[in-house]
Amino acid sequence: MPKYRILCLDGGGLRGLVTAVVLQRLNAAAGLAGWLDKVDLIAGTSTGGILALAIAKGLPPEAIRTLYETKGKKIFDDSWLDNLVDLGQVMGAEYDNRNLEKELKKVLGVGTTLGDLPRRVLIPTFDLDNEADDAAARSWKPKVFHNLPTPDSDAAVPAYKAALYTSAAPTYFPSVDGFVDGGVYANNPSMCALAQAQDSRLPQCPRLADIVLLSLGTGTSLVHVKGKELDWGFAQWAKPLIGLMMDGVMGIADFQCRQLLGARYHRLAPTFPAGTTVPLDDVKRLPYLAQFAEDLHLAATTTWIQQNWL
């Protein structure tokens, strides 16, 4: 059976610039010509979902990098008026998503559906209300948008809408059509992609032994919580909880994929230097993020792609 190649892109807000630069560098690396053209499924959560959809649309990594560097400040525009309206984030999301929606429509096209994309994509989101007719079945639930040829395909969904859904990070952006950021359960979408690729309803379902998976992180900060017995309530847990949750789900997906795929799985998850924390909305750190990605050692990733992907 032929190889089935999956590329997975983590969430991380503006840290998605790290992923864009890494993809740009890998594209230019000797011996890797055309590696990205061979991908069978691109999965992305949050900012990784935007990257995945842009790549699936045909945008080169350098164009996506430019989008982060030139539009990041506009997307994460925290005006004094917005702060006044939402009482400094106490009663509303920190950012309006109108600028993000505008840019996504430009990049992905207003009329472009997931089914129109020339590549297969998978985009995790979370549905806050399934609106079931049966009141006993009404609940929130994970929702994975994809354009694979199965009965539950979301081919008719506009691509820019899927991008908005997956990037609606709680407290940062408002929900969209009842959906929020898939990072609440799959900030690293690797296991979602692996499971979807094993759907027996696929016309040509790959064997697990034929799947190779490359997972790219957006940069991890070394953080910890001091204390062995924390008698905390809502106020104390509110600030660290989102980061704790997203780092946790990234780590477990990494463990699961390593166990299932072995050497056919590779993850590049760079770590920022000790004492360096880069919030997902830190516009001032964009130059740092670009340089950080330029300085990363990619030899192990390059070798893995040559040996397992090509």
Side-chain angles (χ1 to χ4, degrees):
M1 292 287 290
K3 291 181 179 179
Y4 190 90
R5 302 166 179 86
I6 303 176
L7 175 63
C8 295
L9 310 175
D10 282 11
L14 290 176
R15 297 198 305 268
L17 176 59
V18 172
T19 305
V21 174
V22 166
L23 289 171
Q24 183 182 6
R25 290 181 59 197
L26 290 174
N27 262 11
L32 297 189
W35 78 274
L36 193 54
D37 295 331
K38 294 180 179 294
V39 68
D40 294 292
L41 175 63
I42 312 172
T45 301
S46 194
T47 195
I50 295 174
L51 279 159
L53 290 163
I55 294 169
K57 181 76 185 300
L59 268 71
E62 53 268 28
I64 304 171
R65 173 180 181 171
T66 300
L67 178 67
Y68 280 93
E69 293 178 324
T70 60
K71 303 299 183 181
K73 185 176 181 180
K74 184 177 180 181
I75 291 170
F76 287 94
D77 178 22
D78 192 22
S79 68
W80 68 268
L81 181 58
D82 181 61
N83 272 332
L84 180 63
V85 171
D86 63 26
L87 301 181
Q89 202 183 355
V90 174
M91 296 296 291
E94 187 159 358
Y95 303 102
D96 188 285
N97 62 8
R98 284 176 294 184
N99 287 332
L100 175 60
E101 180 176 355
K102 182 178 179 181
E103 295 304 325
L104 290 174
K105 286 179 177 179
K106 287 181 182 178
V107 171
L108 300 173
V110 177
T112 303
T113 66
L114 295 182
D116 293 330
L117 299 174
R119 302 285 187 88
R120 301 299 186 193
V121 293
L122 179 143
I123 311 294
T125 68
F126 195 87
D127 186 357
L128 296 176
D129 182 358
N130 63 8
E131 298 183 337
D133 292 333
D134 181 359
R138 190 167 185 175
S139 180
W140 56 18
K141 63 181 179 64
K143 165 61 182 173
V144 176
F145 287 87
H146 68 85
N147 60 0
L148 291 162
T150 55
D152 61 349
S153 175
D154 302 288
V157 173
Y160 86 89
K161 281 281 192 178
L164 273 176
Y165 297 159
T166 193
S167 55
T171 76
Y172 288 94
F173 289 112
S175 63
V176 181
D177 297 340
F179 293 98
V180 295
D181 196 325
V184 300
Y185 70 94
N187 206 42
N188 171 355
S190 297
M191 273 304 296
C192 289
L194 184 58
Q196 193 73 51
Q198 291 290 274
D199 190 334
S200 60
R201 298 172 299 174
L202 286 169
Q204 293 180 313
C205 181
R207 300 183 306 161
L208 186 65
D210 296 320
I211 293 176
V212 294
L213 194 155
L214 174 60
S215 175
L216 300 180
T218 62
T220 301
S221 299
L222 295 172
V223 296
H224 65 279
V225 177
K226 293 181 180 180
K228 300 295 184 182
E229 298 179 5
L230 301 174
D231 187 16
W232 284 5
F234 290 115
Q236 295 99 328
W237 277 115
K239 185 175 182 180
L241 193 56
I242 291 179
L244 181 153
M245 177 178 59
M246 290 190 174
D247 284 351
V249 296
M250 285 192 295
I252 196 62
D254 177 46
F255 167 76
Q256 292 164 333
C257 286
R258 288 185 190 280
Q259 294 296 105
L260 290 170
L261 299 178
R264 290 175 287 110
Y265 168 77
H266 179 80
R267 178 162 169 81
L268 175 64
T271 301
F272 298 119
T276 301
T277 300
V278 184
L280 61 81
D281 59 343
D282 195 345
V283 175
K284 294 180 180 178
R285 289 293 189 96
L286 283 171
Y288 170 81
L289 290 170
Q291 191 59 53
F292 173 79
E294 292 283 6
D295 293 339
L296 288 174
H297 296 291
L298 300 182
T301 302
T302 300
T303 299
W304 183 87
I305 293 174
Q306 289 172 332
Q307 295 178 348
N308 296 278
W309 191 279
L310 296 177

